[in-house]
């Protein structure tokens, strides 16, 4: 059985007090969670400490980014070793996003930079959530499969079988992110199956069937159930709808 996951990517939203309010509100509604999905929240790095320090907070936590370098003169960057070091005693910090389309678009992250980030995270016992997905122009020119194939192959296929098993993949079509336009469940399932088939060809079906592939892009309480019902969709990477406790819990309960 593949792990079901719902991860909230808060992007550059919520200040400290709002983070605390979210946690208090979430904890007070925890009993309404019916699903066994693993729940992850990815706050801005500066608030990881707030999250980790809150009592009764047993949700997994992740960072949104890390440096591709080990250490050194890289002003403003946070290394994977720092993320690991920072949480060495509580072990709440498990994940880090890699290659979100906003980082690819605004910070020029290539597949090869993403591959380095994946390596740094695995070296520091953190699990990468590796993002892929095409822009609208790629889909319109029917280039979306080959683009996603390159993202997966160049970002992940240098890994050994055991290393790949630590990775979660998130398919996020760029045209669906923050736009209110979701991929249809058929479009999403088609791409998820395509990605799983790539994994199967390179690593075999045991590995391919063990990797969770999440869908992201305008996933909301009213469309999550249909998306999560698809054979190869193992959960969601949620942006806007993860900022409110009620909509996030409704999505978590959509399996
Ligand atoms: P939205 O859910 O706001 O479309 O964002 C998706 C996303 O980018 C999650 O990483």
């Amino acid at each position: 059985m593949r792990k079901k996951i719902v991860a909230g990517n808060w992007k550059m939203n919520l200040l400290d007090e709002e983070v605390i309010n979210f946690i208090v509100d979430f904890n007070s509604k925890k009993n309404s969670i019916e699903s066994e999905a693993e729940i992850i929240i990815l706050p801005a790095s500066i608030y990881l400490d707030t999250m980790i320090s809150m009592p009764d907070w047993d949700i997994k936590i992740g960072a949104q980014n890390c440096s591709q370098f080990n250490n050194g003169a890289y002003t403003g960057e946070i290394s994977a070793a720092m993320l690991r070091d920072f949480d060495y005693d509580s072990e709440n910090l498990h994940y880090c996003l890699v290659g979100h389309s906003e980082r690819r678009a605004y910070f020029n992250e290539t597949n090869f930079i993403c591959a380095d980030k994946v390596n740094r995270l695995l070296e520091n016992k953190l699990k990468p959530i590796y993002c892929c997905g095409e822009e609208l122009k790629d889909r319109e020119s029917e280039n979306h499969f080959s683009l996603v194939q390159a993202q997966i192959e160049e970002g992940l296929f240098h890994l050994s079988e055991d290393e790949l098993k630590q990775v979660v993949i998130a398919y996020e079509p760029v045209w669906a992110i923050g736009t209110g336009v979701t991929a249809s469940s058929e479009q999403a399932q088609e791409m998820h199956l395509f990605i799983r088939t790539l994994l199967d060809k390179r690593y075999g079906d045991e590995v391919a069937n063990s990797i969770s592939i999440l869908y992201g892009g305008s996933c909301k309480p009213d469309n999550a159930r249909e998306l999560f019902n698809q054979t190869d969709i193992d959960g969601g990477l949620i942006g806007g709808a993860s900022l409110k406790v009620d909509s996030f819990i409704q999505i978590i309960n959509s399996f």
Side-chain angles (χ1 to χ4, degrees):
M1 268 295 276
R2 285 193 294 276
K3 201 189 271 182
K4 305 282 182 203
I5 298 175
V6 179
N9 174 12
W10 283 359
K11 309 190 181 185
M12 202 169 71
N13 293 298
L14 305 189
L15 299 176
D16 197 49
E17 198 182 334
E18 295 166 305
V19 173
I20 293 170
N21 289 342
F22 182 99
I23 296 170
V24 171
D25 192 17
F26 188 93
N27 279 345
S28 74
K29 293 173 180 164
K30 258 200 308 210
N31 290 343
S32 65
I33 296 180
E34 291 150 8
S35 116
E36 304 207 324
E38 180 165 277
I39 305 165
I40 307 169
I41 290 194
L42 309 144
S45 288
I46 196 170
Y47 300 125
L48 285 167
D49 191 43
T50 303
M51 286 218 139
I52 286 168
S53 314
M54 287 295 283
D56 301 326
W57 177 251
D58 45 18
I59 301 305
K60 299 228 167 13
I61 299 170
Q64 295 174 15
N65 182 37
C66 72
S67 172
Q68 71 265 41
F69 302 111
N70 280 318
N71 62 288
Y74 302 104
T75 301
E77 289 291 273
I78 296 176
S79 70
M82 288 169 180
L83 291 174
R84 168 47 64 219
D85 182 45
F86 158 73
D87 190 38
Y88 69 96
D89 55 350
S90 77
E91 293 276 330
N92 273 331
L93 183 67
H94 293 256
Y95 291 96
C96 183
L97 290 181
V98 174
H100 190 280
S101 62
E102 287 147 18
R103 296 216 55 92
R104 291 177 186 267
Y106 307 137
F107 304 97
N108 302 320
E109 289 189 8
T110 63
N111 294 333
F112 299 105
I113 291 175
C114 293
D116 284 340
K117 293 187 180 207
V118 166
N119 293 342
R120 296 296 84 75
L121 290 167
L122 292 174
E123 285 157 13
N124 288 285
K125 302 198 167 22
L126 291 163
K127 294 175 198 260
I129 302 178
Y130 183 82
C131 303
C132 60
E134 81 285 357
E135 292 180 36
L136 188 58
K137 64 176 167 43
D138 304 311
R139 188 164 274 269
E140 283 172 349
S141 59
E142 296 185 6
N143 198 28
H144 47 303
F145 289 115
S146 56
L147 186 120
V148 169
Q149 179 166 357
Q151 290 174 330
I152 296 288
E153 289 181 352
E154 292 172 6
L156 294 178
F157 276 15
H158 61 288
L159 298 177
S160 70
E161 204 176 290
D162 284 345
E163 287 168 336
L164 188 83
K165 283 181 174 171
Q166 301 300 309
V167 176
V168 173
I169 294 175
Y171 168 60
E172 299 202 302
V174 180
W175 46 272
I177 295 178
T179 58
V181 180
T182 329
S184 67
S185 49
E186 292 79 17
Q187 285 172 319
Q189 165 59 23
E190 185 185 35
M191 186 59 88
H192 282 232
L193 177 61
F194 175 75
I195 294 169
R196 204 176 301 288
T197 306
L198 290 175
L199 300 178
D200 186 349
K201 285 190 188 140
R202 167 72 176 79
Y203 292 94
D205 62 345
E206 195 260 314
V207 176
N209 284 320
S210 71
I211 307 283
S212 299
I213 308 180
L214 314 182
Y215 169 81
S218 297
C219 184
K220 303 261 168 7
D222 60 2
N223 58 27
R225 190 170 294 278
E226 196 188 331
L227 286 160
F228 296 174
N229 262 337
Q230 305 303 309
T231 318
D232 289 286
I233 300 183
D234 305 307
L237 179 56
I238 320 299
S242 71
L243 295 169
K244 295 264 171 3
V245 170
D246 290 342
S247 55
F248 192 47
I249 290 183
Q250 282 177 53
I251 293 174
I252 294 166
N253 281 338
S254 297
F255 287 99

